[in-house]
């Protein structure tokens, strides 16, 4: 694989069959699998509203930098107080967000984005503000802060504004979202 001498010897303890694969063939298969994963991630990213202003080239570059993370029911994707160093996109499933009291504050579904606080520059915003827990089996795409900034730079301001809007949209009085009741010009303030 790496054009270097063998690092170990394998001895069979009983009769069996051994399959061999040439290095070039193995590398080709691995590259194709990586390309397919990137194309799948890119197709998904096209459905994420926050990323709609991006070009196909930008989406492709982001997809190449993303890591798919699978979580099972009850597994914490992020924990409150942990370092905020990545942004997450919900690819499949549902997640619950809470602040330690285990009472759901918000539910995230396919296409949702969380972890935008990692893009803030202030030290206070560099830690997780809530726990995010899988409800059933979940797949998320993880994009590190460094990769995001390397690829998109100034878009982080847009994402930070979108995050603040999402938080404000979640505020309710008597079950009515109050942010949506404001005139558009007041929402921008």
């Amino acid at each position: 694989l790496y054009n270097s001498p063998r690092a170990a010897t394998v001895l069979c303890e009983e009769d069996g069959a051994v399959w061999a694969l040439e290095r070039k063939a193995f590398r080709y298969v691995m590259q194709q699998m990586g390309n397919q994963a990137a194309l799948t991630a890119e197709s998904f990213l096209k459905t994420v509203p926050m990323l709609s202003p991006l070009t196909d080239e930008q989406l492709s570059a982001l997809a190449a930098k993303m890591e798919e993370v699978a979580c099972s029911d009850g597994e914490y994707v992020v924990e409150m107080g942990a370092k905020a160093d990545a942004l997450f996109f919900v690819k499949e499933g549902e997640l619950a967000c809470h602040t330690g009291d285990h009472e759901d504050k918000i539910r995230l579904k396919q296409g949702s984005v969380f972890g935008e606080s990692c893009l803030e520059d202030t030290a206070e915003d560099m830690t997780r503000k809530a726990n995010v827990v899988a409800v059933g089996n979940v797949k998320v795409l993880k994009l590190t802060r460094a990769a995001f900034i390397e690829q998109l730079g100034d878009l982080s301001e847009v994402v930070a504004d979108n995050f603040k809007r999402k938080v404000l949209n979640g505020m309710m009085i008597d079950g009515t979202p109050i942010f949506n009741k404001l005139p558009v010009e007041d929402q921008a303030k």
Side-chain angles (χ1 to χ4, degrees):
L1 178 63
Y2 299 106
N3 200 19
S4 61
R6 301 272 181 234
T9 301
V10 177
L11 299 173
C12 292
E13 293 185 1
E14 57 185 65
D15 289 343
V18 176
W19 290 81
L21 186 61
E22 290 181 349
R23 180 179 353 153
K24 285 183 181 179
F26 179 76
R27 287 181 125 176
Y28 177 78
V29 168
M30 294 305 291
Q31 182 181 19
Q32 292 305 311
M33 288 176 58
N35 289 345
Q36 183 60 39
L39 285 173
T40 302
E42 186 179 338
S43 296
F44 167 73
L45 292 178
K46 288 180 180 181
T47 68
V48 177
M50 181 184 91
L51 301 177
S52 62
L54 300 182
T55 65
D56 287 345
E57 292 79 22
Q58 290 170 320
L59 289 173
S60 180
L62 281 183
K65 299 284 186 175
M66 291 184 153
E67 172 190 354
E68 185 173 294
V69 179
C71 301
S72 54
D73 187 41
E75 190 175 343
Y76 280 64
V77 178
V78 297
E79 292 186 50
M80 188 167 72
K83 184 177 179 180
D85 60 355
L87 184 64
F88 296 86
F89 301 83
V90 182
K91 185 176 178 185
E92 294 176 14
E94 183 176 13
L95 298 151
C97 303
H98 64 81
T99 55
D101 56 7
H102 297 286
E103 181 181 323
D104 292 356
K105 302 294 183 200
I106 190 171
R107 290 282 179 127
L108 303 170
K109 296 184 186 212
Q110 183 176 344
S112 297
V113 179
F114 65 97
E116 300 95 329
S117 63
C118 78
L119 301 174
E120 298 278 334
D121 288 330
T122 62
E124 179 181 278
D125 287 327
M126 293 302 285
T127 59
R128 300 291 178 199
K129 304 296 185 235
N131 297 307
V132 181
V133 185
V135 178
N137 292 329
V138 173
K139 286 184 182 176
V140 295
L141 296 174
K142 178 181 177 182
L143 180 65
T144 66
R145 178 183 199 276
F148 184 93
I149 291 171
E150 175 189 325
Q151 296 298 318
L152 302 175
D154 61 3
L155 186 63
S156 61
E157 291 176 19
V158 173
V159 173
D161 288 342
N162 285 347
F163 173 67
K164 291 171 187 170
R165 180 174 290 277
K166 182 170 74 171
V167 169
L168 291 171
N169 279 333
M171 294 181 165
M172 296 190 187
I173 296 179
D174 295 329
T176 303
I178 58 173
F179 187 70
N180 293 338
K181 299 293 180 187
L182 292 172
V184 175
E185 58 275 2
D186 289 340
Q187 289 181 11
K189 295 179 185 178

